[in-house]
Amino acid sequence: MVCLGNICRSPMAEGIMRSKIEKYKLQAEVDSCGTAAYHVGEQPDRRAMAKLQEHGMDISDLSGRQFEQNDFDRFDMIYVMDSQNYRNVLRLVRNENDRQKVSMIMNEVYPNGQIDVADPYFGGAGGFNDTYQMLDKATEKIAKKILKTND
Ligand code: 4NP
């Protein structure tokens, strides 16, 4: 799960996906990072933590890190939150295999829709609710997909 700062959207996506991995008993692991380094080592934004806490999920253990090329080797799928981060990650691909791992996360819900999970950082608390709802839908699709491949 990849966003810009790794303190709002992608740690929320990681937390929600983590709970679905548990719920559906998936053989999978999830991690998150940002394409920028501004918030490396920081805990998620308190508004992101509060929104997940409302849904019984704790992401206070997460810590910001920056995307690195090695992530193409560590992960089968790389879900980016918006077109800016899509471009940032594509700049780092080494080959076609890397490129094929990268996709916009909302395309799981709206195929080829190219819909951004908007950056909630500079907005009000309502933005974090929108982020939660979008990521809940997308991670549900991803979980169902993994459930099929785990069968
Ligand atoms: P995120 O949100 O990419 O969802 O973690 C942001 C957090 C911080 C900044 C930008 C986006 N920032 O510019 O510091």
PDB file of all heavy atoms in Angstrom, residues 2-12 33-36 38-39 42 45 47 81-82 84-85 117-122 128 131, ligand 1:
ATOM      1  N   VAL A   2       0.736   2.066  -1.026  1.00  0.00           N
ATOM      2  CA  VAL A   2       1.678   3.181  -1.200  1.00  0.00           C
ATOM      3  C   VAL A   2       0.947   4.518  -1.353  1.00  0.00           C
ATOM      4  O   VAL A   2       0.056   4.647  -2.199  1.00  0.00           O
ATOM      5  CB  VAL A   2       2.562   2.970  -2.454  1.00  0.00           C
ATOM      6  CG1 VAL A   2       3.611   4.068  -2.560  1.00  0.00           C
ATOM      7  CG2 VAL A   2       3.226   1.595  -2.442  1.00  0.00           C
ATOM      8  N   CYS A   3       1.318   5.489  -0.517  1.00  0.00           N
ATOM      9  CA  CYS A   3       0.828   6.860  -0.714  1.00  0.00           C
ATOM     10  C   CYS A   3       2.026   7.799  -0.748  1.00  0.00           C
ATOM     11  O   CYS A   3       3.143   7.378  -1.076  1.00  0.00           O
ATOM     12  CB  CYS A   3      -0.204   7.240   0.337  1.00  0.00           C
ATOM     13  SG  CYS A   3       0.409   7.305   2.033  1.00  0.00           S
ATOM     14  N   LEU A   4       1.823   9.052  -0.403  1.00  0.00           N
ATOM     15  CA  LEU A   4       2.927  10.007  -0.476  1.00  0.00           C
ATOM     16  C   LEU A   4       3.718  10.033   0.836  1.00  0.00           C
ATOM     17  O   LEU A   4       4.918   9.820   0.858  1.00  0.00           O
ATOM     18  CB  LEU A   4       2.374  11.404  -0.810  1.00  0.00           C
ATOM     19  CG  LEU A   4       3.410  12.502  -1.030  1.00  0.00           C
ATOM     20  CD1 LEU A   4       4.288  12.187  -2.239  1.00  0.00           C
ATOM     21  CD2 LEU A   4       2.727  13.858  -1.231  1.00  0.00           C
ATOM     22  N   GLY A   5       3.008  10.277   1.945  1.00  0.00           N
ATOM     23  CA  GLY A   5       3.711  10.475   3.213  1.00  0.00           C
ATOM     24  C   GLY A   5       3.804   9.247   4.110  1.00  0.00           C
ATOM     25  O   GLY A   5       4.570   9.218   5.064  1.00  0.00           O
ATOM     26  N   ASN A   6       2.982   8.229   3.814  1.00  0.00           N
ATOM     27  CA  ASN A   6       2.868   7.019   4.650  1.00  0.00           C
ATOM     28  C   ASN A   6       2.452   7.347   6.087  1.00  0.00           C
ATOM     29  O   ASN A   6       2.886   6.691   7.035  1.00  0.00           O
ATOM     30  CB  ASN A   6       4.181   6.185   4.645  1.00  0.00           C
ATOM     31  CG  ASN A   6       4.050   4.783   5.232  1.00  0.00           C
ATOM     32  OD1 ASN A   6       4.994   4.266   5.816  1.00  0.00           O
ATOM     33  ND2 ASN A   6       2.897   4.157   5.097  1.00  0.00           N
ATOM     34  N   ILE A   7       1.615   8.396   6.227  1.00  0.00           N
ATOM     35  CA  ILE A   7       1.047   8.654   7.557  1.00  0.00           C
ATOM     36  C   ILE A   7      -0.487   8.712   7.536  1.00  0.00           C
ATOM     37  O   ILE A   7      -1.107   8.684   8.600  1.00  0.00           O
ATOM     38  CB  ILE A   7       1.610   9.944   8.211  1.00  0.00           C
ATOM     39  CG1 ILE A   7       1.439  11.146   7.298  1.00  0.00           C
ATOM     40  CG2 ILE A   7       3.063   9.731   8.630  1.00  0.00           C
ATOM     41  CD1 ILE A   7       1.709  12.475   8.013  1.00  0.00           C
ATOM     42  N   CYS A   8      -1.092   8.828   6.358  1.00  0.00           N
ATOM     43  CA  CYS A   8      -2.565   8.879   6.293  1.00  0.00           C
ATOM     44  C   CYS A   8      -3.148   7.681   5.535  1.00  0.00           C
ATOM     45  O   CYS A   8      -3.586   6.703   6.134  1.00  0.00           O
ATOM     46  CB  CYS A   8      -3.038  10.187   5.660  1.00  0.00           C
ATOM     47  SG  CYS A   8      -2.551  11.662   6.589  1.00  0.00           S
ATOM     48  N   ARG A   9      -3.136   7.770   4.197  1.00  0.00           N
ATOM     49  CA  ARG A   9      -3.856   6.773   3.402  1.00  0.00           C
ATOM     50  C   ARG A   9      -3.264   5.369   3.465  1.00  0.00           C
ATOM     51  O   ARG A   9      -3.993   4.404   3.710  1.00  0.00           O
ATOM     52  CB  ARG A   9      -3.925   7.237   1.922  1.00  0.00           C
ATOM     53  CG  ARG A   9      -4.806   8.454   1.726  1.00  0.00           C
ATOM     54  CD  ARG A   9      -4.559   9.089   0.371  1.00  0.00           C
ATOM     55  NE  ARG A   9      -3.219   9.695   0.295  1.00  0.00           N
ATOM     56  CZ  ARG A   9      -2.723  10.281  -0.777  1.00  0.00           C
ATOM     57  NH1 ARG A   9      -3.441  10.331  -1.887  1.00  0.00           N
ATOM     58  NH2 ARG A   9      -1.520  10.826  -0.746  1.00  0.00           N
ATOM     59  N   SER A  10      -1.967   5.240   3.211  1.00  0.00           N
ATOM     60  CA  SER A  10      -1.419   3.873   3.126  1.00  0.00           C
ATOM     61  C   SER A  10      -1.375   3.143   4.468  1.00  0.00           C
ATOM     62  O   SER A  10      -1.640   1.930   4.498  1.00  0.00           O
ATOM     63  CB  SER A  10      -0.074   3.834   2.393  1.00  0.00           C
ATOM     64  OG  SER A  10       0.918   4.532   3.084  1.00  0.00           O
ATOM     65  N   PRO A  11      -1.098   3.818   5.593  1.00  0.00           N
ATOM     66  CA  PRO A  11      -1.213   3.065   6.854  1.00  0.00           C
ATOM     67  C   PRO A  11      -2.657   2.680   7.171  1.00  0.00           C
ATOM     68  O   PRO A  11      -2.898   1.632   7.778  1.00  0.00           O
ATOM     69  CB  PRO A  11      -0.639   4.016   7.921  1.00  0.00           C
ATOM     70  CG  PRO A  11      -0.471   5.331   7.262  1.00  0.00           C
ATOM     71  CD  PRO A  11      -0.487   5.133   5.800  1.00  0.00           C
ATOM     72  N   MET A  12      -3.625   3.508   6.727  1.00  0.00           N
ATOM     73  CA  MET A  12      -5.037   3.113   6.889  1.00  0.00           C
ATOM     74  C   MET A  12      -5.320   1.871   6.046  1.00  0.00           C
ATOM     75  O   MET A  12      -5.932   0.910   6.515  1.00  0.00           O
ATOM     76  CB  MET A  12      -5.981   4.263   6.489  1.00  0.00           C
ATOM     77  CG  MET A  12      -5.973   5.429   7.466  1.00  0.00           C
ATOM     78  SD  MET A  12      -6.959   6.836   6.890  1.00  0.00           S
ATOM     79  CE  MET A  12      -8.634   6.230   7.139  1.00  0.00           C
ATOM     80  N   CYS A  33       4.030   2.069   2.655  1.00  0.00           N
ATOM     81  CA  CYS A  33       5.148   3.012   2.601  1.00  0.00           C
ATOM     82  C   CYS A  33       4.709   4.234   1.802  1.00  0.00           C
ATOM     83  O   CYS A  33       3.615   4.266   1.237  1.00  0.00           O
ATOM     84  CB  CYS A  33       6.373   2.358   1.967  1.00  0.00           C
ATOM     85  SG  CYS A  33       6.084   1.735   0.319  1.00  0.00           S
ATOM     86  N   GLY A  34       5.581   5.250   1.780  1.00  0.00           N
ATOM     87  CA  GLY A  34       5.306   6.471   1.032  1.00  0.00           C
ATOM     88  C   GLY A  34       6.361   6.681  -0.034  1.00  0.00           C
ATOM     89  O   GLY A  34       7.484   6.190   0.100  1.00  0.00           O
ATOM     90  N   THR A  35       6.008   7.416  -1.088  1.00  0.00           N
ATOM     91  CA  THR A  35       7.029   7.696  -2.103  1.00  0.00           C
ATOM     92  C   THR A  35       7.910   8.868  -1.668  1.00  0.00           C
ATOM     93  O   THR A  35       8.990   9.058  -2.203  1.00  0.00           O
ATOM     94  CB  THR A  35       6.401   7.976  -3.488  1.00  0.00           C
ATOM     95  OG1 THR A  35       5.507   9.082  -3.388  1.00  0.00           O
ATOM     96  CG2 THR A  35       5.650   6.751  -4.003  1.00  0.00           C
ATOM     97  N   ALA A  36       7.457   9.645  -0.683  1.00  0.00           N
ATOM     98  CA  ALA A  36       8.266  10.753  -0.159  1.00  0.00           C
ATOM     99  C   ALA A  36       8.853  10.358   1.197  1.00  0.00           C
ATOM    100  O   ALA A  36       8.363   9.438   1.851  1.00  0.00           O
ATOM    101  CB  ALA A  36       7.403  11.996  -0.005  1.00  0.00           C
ATOM    102  N   TYR A  38       9.325  12.595   3.820  1.00  0.00           N
ATOM    103  CA  TYR A  38       9.048  13.601   4.876  1.00  0.00           C
ATOM    104  C   TYR A  38       8.755  12.995   6.247  1.00  0.00           C
ATOM    105  O   TYR A  38       9.057  13.602   7.263  1.00  0.00           O
ATOM    106  CB  TYR A  38       7.810  14.466   4.589  1.00  0.00           C
ATOM    107  CG  TYR A  38       7.536  14.869   3.170  1.00  0.00           C
ATOM    108  CD1 TYR A  38       6.280  14.624   2.593  1.00  0.00           C
ATOM    109  CD2 TYR A  38       8.496  15.541   2.414  1.00  0.00           C
ATOM    110  CE1 TYR A  38       5.991  15.021   1.301  1.00  0.00           C
ATOM    111  CE2 TYR A  38       8.207  15.936   1.121  1.00  0.00           C
ATOM    112  CZ  TYR A  38       6.963  15.673   0.567  1.00  0.00           C
ATOM    113  OH  TYR A  38       6.674  16.060  -0.711  1.00  0.00           O
ATOM    114  N   HIS A  39       8.064  11.856   6.276  1.00  0.00           N
ATOM    115  CA  HIS A  39       7.548  11.359   7.558  1.00  0.00           C
ATOM    116  C   HIS A  39       8.135  10.006   7.968  1.00  0.00           C
ATOM    117  O   HIS A  39       7.506   9.255   8.718  1.00  0.00           O
ATOM    118  CB  HIS A  39       6.018  11.299   7.507  1.00  0.00           C
ATOM    119  CG  HIS A  39       5.381  12.631   7.269  1.00  0.00           C
ATOM    120  ND1 HIS A  39       5.275  13.597   8.255  1.00  0.00           N
ATOM    121  CD2 HIS A  39       4.871  13.188   6.146  1.00  0.00           C
ATOM    122  CE1 HIS A  39       4.706  14.685   7.739  1.00  0.00           C
ATOM    123  NE2 HIS A  39       4.449  14.456   6.466  1.00  0.00           N
ATOM    124  N   GLU A  42       7.818   8.211  11.527  1.00  0.00           N
ATOM    125  CA  GLU A  42       6.685   8.762  12.296  1.00  0.00           C
ATOM    126  C   GLU A  42       5.528   7.773  12.398  1.00  0.00           C
ATOM    127  O   GLU A  42       5.305   6.949  11.513  1.00  0.00           O
ATOM    128  CB  GLU A  42       6.150  10.039  11.634  1.00  0.00           C
ATOM    129  CG  GLU A  42       7.079  11.218  11.789  1.00  0.00           C
ATOM    130  CD  GLU A  42       6.536  12.457  11.088  1.00  0.00           C
ATOM    131  OE1 GLU A  42       5.310  12.583  10.912  1.00  0.00           O
ATOM    132  OE2 GLU A  42       7.370  13.296  10.700  1.00  0.00           O
ATOM    133  N   ASP A  45      -0.750   9.616  11.196  1.00  0.00           N
ATOM    134  CA  ASP A  45      -1.459  10.827  11.609  1.00  0.00           C
ATOM    135  C   ASP A  45      -2.530  10.457  12.643  1.00  0.00           C
ATOM    136  O   ASP A  45      -3.205   9.431  12.500  1.00  0.00           O
ATOM    137  CB  ASP A  45      -2.114  11.434  10.355  1.00  0.00           C
ATOM    138  CG  ASP A  45      -2.764  12.775  10.597  1.00  0.00           C
ATOM    139  OD1 ASP A  45      -3.857  12.794  11.224  1.00  0.00           O
ATOM    140  OD2 ASP A  45      -2.210  13.786  10.150  1.00  0.00           O
ATOM    141  N   ARG A  47      -5.415  11.552  13.158  1.00  0.00           N
ATOM    142  CA  ARG A  47      -6.775  11.446  12.590  1.00  0.00           C
ATOM    143  C   ARG A  47      -6.975  10.099  11.903  1.00  0.00           C
ATOM    144  O   ARG A  47      -8.067   9.538  11.925  1.00  0.00           O
ATOM    145  CB  ARG A  47      -7.004  12.598  11.599  1.00  0.00           C
ATOM    146  CG  ARG A  47      -6.992  13.977  12.250  1.00  0.00           C
ATOM    147  CD  ARG A  47      -6.856  15.077  11.214  1.00  0.00           C
ATOM    148  NE  ARG A  47      -5.565  15.012  10.516  1.00  0.00           N
ATOM    149  CZ  ARG A  47      -5.211  15.798   9.501  1.00  0.00           C
ATOM    150  NH1 ARG A  47      -6.066  16.709   9.040  1.00  0.00           N
ATOM    151  NH2 ARG A  47      -4.010  15.681   8.933  1.00  0.00           N
ATOM    152  N   MET A  81      -2.204   4.854  -4.127  1.00  0.00           N
ATOM    153  CA  MET A  81      -3.432   5.556  -3.763  1.00  0.00           C
ATOM    154  C   MET A  81      -3.904   6.549  -4.814  1.00  0.00           C
ATOM    155  O   MET A  81      -5.091   6.862  -4.874  1.00  0.00           O
ATOM    156  CB  MET A  81      -3.230   6.307  -2.432  1.00  0.00           C
ATOM    157  CG  MET A  81      -2.901   5.394  -1.270  1.00  0.00           C
ATOM    158  SD  MET A  81      -4.271   4.277  -0.885  1.00  0.00           S
ATOM    159  CE  MET A  81      -3.367   2.756  -0.606  1.00  0.00           C
ATOM    160  N   ASP A  82      -2.970   7.084  -5.605  1.00  0.00           N
ATOM    161  CA  ASP A  82      -3.391   8.085  -6.598  1.00  0.00           C
ATOM    162  C   ASP A  82      -2.408   8.132  -7.770  1.00  0.00           C
ATOM    163  O   ASP A  82      -1.371   7.468  -7.758  1.00  0.00           O
ATOM    164  CB  ASP A  82      -3.577   9.468  -5.950  1.00  0.00           C
ATOM    165  CG  ASP A  82      -2.290  10.021  -5.356  1.00  0.00           C
ATOM    166  OD1 ASP A  82      -1.190   9.578  -5.755  1.00  0.00           O
ATOM    167  OD2 ASP A  82      -2.387  10.903  -4.483  1.00  0.00           O
ATOM    168  N   GLN A  84      -0.456  10.493  -8.845  1.00  0.00           N
ATOM    169  CA  GLN A  84       0.866  11.064  -8.560  1.00  0.00           C
ATOM    170  C   GLN A  84       1.812   9.971  -8.047  1.00  0.00           C
ATOM    171  O   GLN A  84       2.950   9.838  -8.503  1.00  0.00           O
ATOM    172  CB  GLN A  84       0.736  12.170  -7.500  1.00  0.00           C
ATOM    173  CG  GLN A  84       2.085  12.754  -7.085  1.00  0.00           C
ATOM    174  CD  GLN A  84       2.008  13.588  -5.810  1.00  0.00           C
ATOM    175  OE1 GLN A  84       0.981  13.637  -5.127  1.00  0.00           O
ATOM    176  NE2 GLN A  84       3.096  14.257  -5.479  1.00  0.00           N
ATOM    177  N   ASN A  85       1.312   9.181  -7.119  1.00  0.00           N
ATOM    178  CA  ASN A  85       2.154   8.115  -6.557  1.00  0.00           C
ATOM    179  C   ASN A  85       2.333   6.963  -7.543  1.00  0.00           C
ATOM    180  O   ASN A  85       3.359   6.286  -7.515  1.00  0.00           O
ATOM    181  CB  ASN A  85       1.608   7.661  -5.210  1.00  0.00           C
ATOM    182  CG  ASN A  85       1.835   8.741  -4.170  1.00  0.00           C
ATOM    183  OD1 ASN A  85       2.979   9.029  -3.852  1.00  0.00           O
ATOM    184  ND2 ASN A  85       0.766   9.359  -3.713  1.00  0.00           N
ATOM    185  N   VAL A 117      -7.607   7.948  -4.456  1.00  0.00           N
ATOM    186  CA  VAL A 117      -7.986   8.100  -3.053  1.00  0.00           C
ATOM    187  C   VAL A 117      -7.373   9.441  -2.667  1.00  0.00           C
ATOM    188  O   VAL A 117      -6.147   9.571  -2.558  1.00  0.00           O
ATOM    189  CB  VAL A 117      -7.421   6.966  -2.163  1.00  0.00           C
ATOM    190  CG1 VAL A 117      -7.837   7.178  -0.718  1.00  0.00           C
ATOM    191  CG2 VAL A 117      -7.892   5.606  -2.658  1.00  0.00           C
ATOM    192  N   ALA A 118      -8.222  10.467  -2.528  1.00  0.00           N
ATOM    193  CA  ALA A 118      -7.730  11.831  -2.337  1.00  0.00           C
ATOM    194  C   ALA A 118      -6.928  11.944  -1.048  1.00  0.00           C
ATOM    195  O   ALA A 118      -7.220  11.281  -0.045  1.00  0.00           O
ATOM    196  CB  ALA A 118      -8.897  12.801  -2.322  1.00  0.00           C
ATOM    197  N   ASP A 119      -5.925  12.806  -1.078  1.00  0.00           N
ATOM    198  CA  ASP A 119      -5.078  13.041   0.086  1.00  0.00           C
ATOM    199  C   ASP A 119      -5.886  13.789   1.165  1.00  0.00           C
ATOM    200  O   ASP A 119      -6.316  14.917   0.944  1.00  0.00           O
ATOM    201  CB  ASP A 119      -3.899  13.894  -0.380  1.00  0.00           C
ATOM    202  CG  ASP A 119      -2.914  14.174   0.721  1.00  0.00           C
ATOM    203  OD1 ASP A 119      -3.172  13.785   1.875  1.00  0.00           O
ATOM    204  OD2 ASP A 119      -1.875  14.787   0.411  1.00  0.00           O
ATOM    205  N   PRO A 120      -6.121  13.173   2.336  1.00  0.00           N
ATOM    206  CA  PRO A 120      -6.942  13.826   3.357  1.00  0.00           C
ATOM    207  C   PRO A 120      -6.132  14.738   4.294  1.00  0.00           C
ATOM    208  O   PRO A 120      -6.693  15.394   5.173  1.00  0.00           O
ATOM    209  CB  PRO A 120      -7.483  12.623   4.157  1.00  0.00           C
ATOM    210  CG  PRO A 120      -6.367  11.621   4.096  1.00  0.00           C
ATOM    211  CD  PRO A 120      -5.678  11.827   2.757  1.00  0.00           C
ATOM    212  N   TYR A 121      -4.822  14.806   4.097  1.00  0.00           N
ATOM    213  CA  TYR A 121      -3.912  15.437   5.072  1.00  0.00           C
ATOM    214  C   TYR A 121      -4.265  16.888   5.370  1.00  0.00           C
ATOM    215  O   TYR A 121      -4.278  17.310   6.512  1.00  0.00           O
ATOM    216  CB  TYR A 121      -2.477  15.331   4.552  1.00  0.00           C
ATOM    217  CG  TYR A 121      -1.414  15.812   5.506  1.00  0.00           C
ATOM    218  CD1 TYR A 121      -1.172  15.160   6.714  1.00  0.00           C
ATOM    219  CD2 TYR A 121      -0.621  16.926   5.192  1.00  0.00           C
ATOM    220  CE1 TYR A 121      -0.183  15.593   7.578  1.00  0.00           C
ATOM    221  CE2 TYR A 121       0.376  17.353   6.043  1.00  0.00           C
ATOM    222  CZ  TYR A 121       0.597  16.692   7.232  1.00  0.00           C
ATOM    223  OH  TYR A 121       1.582  17.121   8.082  1.00  0.00           O
ATOM    224  N   PHE A 122      -4.565  17.665   4.323  1.00  0.00           N
ATOM    225  CA  PHE A 122      -4.794  19.099   4.525  1.00  0.00           C
ATOM    226  C   PHE A 122      -6.268  19.455   4.716  1.00  0.00           C
ATOM    227  O   PHE A 122      -6.613  20.611   4.900  1.00  0.00           O
ATOM    228  CB  PHE A 122      -4.203  19.904   3.350  1.00  0.00           C
ATOM    229  CG  PHE A 122      -2.715  19.795   3.272  1.00  0.00           C
ATOM    230  CD1 PHE A 122      -2.104  19.012   2.309  1.00  0.00           C
ATOM    231  CD2 PHE A 122      -1.908  20.452   4.200  1.00  0.00           C
ATOM    232  CE1 PHE A 122      -0.724  18.897   2.244  1.00  0.00           C
ATOM    233  CE2 PHE A 122      -0.528  20.335   4.161  1.00  0.00           C
ATOM    234  CZ  PHE A 122       0.069  19.559   3.180  1.00  0.00           C
ATOM    235  N   PHE A 128     -11.104  11.889   6.200  1.00  0.00           N
ATOM    236  CA  PHE A 128     -10.620  10.596   6.682  1.00  0.00           C
ATOM    237  C   PHE A 128     -11.719   9.547   6.641  1.00  0.00           C
ATOM    238  O   PHE A 128     -11.444   8.360   6.491  1.00  0.00           O
ATOM    239  CB  PHE A 128     -10.009  10.732   8.081  1.00  0.00           C
ATOM    240  CG  PHE A 128      -8.634  11.355   8.044  1.00  0.00           C
ATOM    241  CD1 PHE A 128      -8.495  12.734   7.929  1.00  0.00           C
ATOM    242  CD2 PHE A 128      -7.499  10.573   8.068  1.00  0.00           C
ATOM    243  CE1 PHE A 128      -7.231  13.308   7.853  1.00  0.00           C
ATOM    244  CE2 PHE A 128      -6.231  11.136   7.989  1.00  0.00           C
ATOM    245  CZ  PHE A 128      -6.102  12.509   7.885  1.00  0.00           C
ATOM    246  N   THR A 131     -11.790   8.463   3.039  1.00  0.00           N
ATOM    247  CA  THR A 131     -10.634   7.578   2.829  1.00  0.00           C
ATOM    248  C   THR A 131     -10.953   6.183   3.350  1.00  0.00           C
ATOM    249  O   THR A 131     -10.715   5.178   2.668  1.00  0.00           O
ATOM    250  CB  THR A 131      -9.392   8.118   3.574  1.00  0.00           C
ATOM    251  OG1 THR A 131      -9.152   9.466   3.170  1.00  0.00           O
ATOM    252  CG2 THR A 131      -8.158   7.279   3.288  1.00  0.00           C
TER     253      THR A 131
HETATM  254  P1  4NP B   1      -0.545  10.538   2.870  1.00  0.00           P
HETATM  255  O1  4NP B   1      -0.859  12.069   3.222  1.00  0.00           O
HETATM  256  O2  4NP B   1       0.227  10.552   1.566  1.00  0.00           O
HETATM  257  O3  4NP B   1      -1.879   9.943   2.723  1.00  0.00           O
HETATM  258  O4  4NP B   1       0.263   9.982   4.021  1.00  0.00           O
HETATM  259  C1  4NP B   1       0.121  13.063   3.276  1.00  0.00           C
HETATM  260  C2  4NP B   1       0.799  13.277   4.435  1.00  0.00           C
HETATM  261  C3  4NP B   1       1.729  14.292   4.505  1.00  0.00           C
HETATM  262  C4  4NP B   1       1.977  15.081   3.409  1.00  0.00           C
HETATM  263  C5  4NP B   1       1.296  14.855   2.237  1.00  0.00           C
HETATM  264  C6  4NP B   1       0.372  13.844   2.163  1.00  0.00           C
HETATM  265  N1  4NP B   1       2.913  16.134   3.504  1.00  0.00           N
HETATM  266  O5  4NP B   1       3.025  16.894   2.526  1.00  0.00           O
HETATM  267  O6  4NP B   1       3.574  16.286   4.530  1.00  0.00           O
END
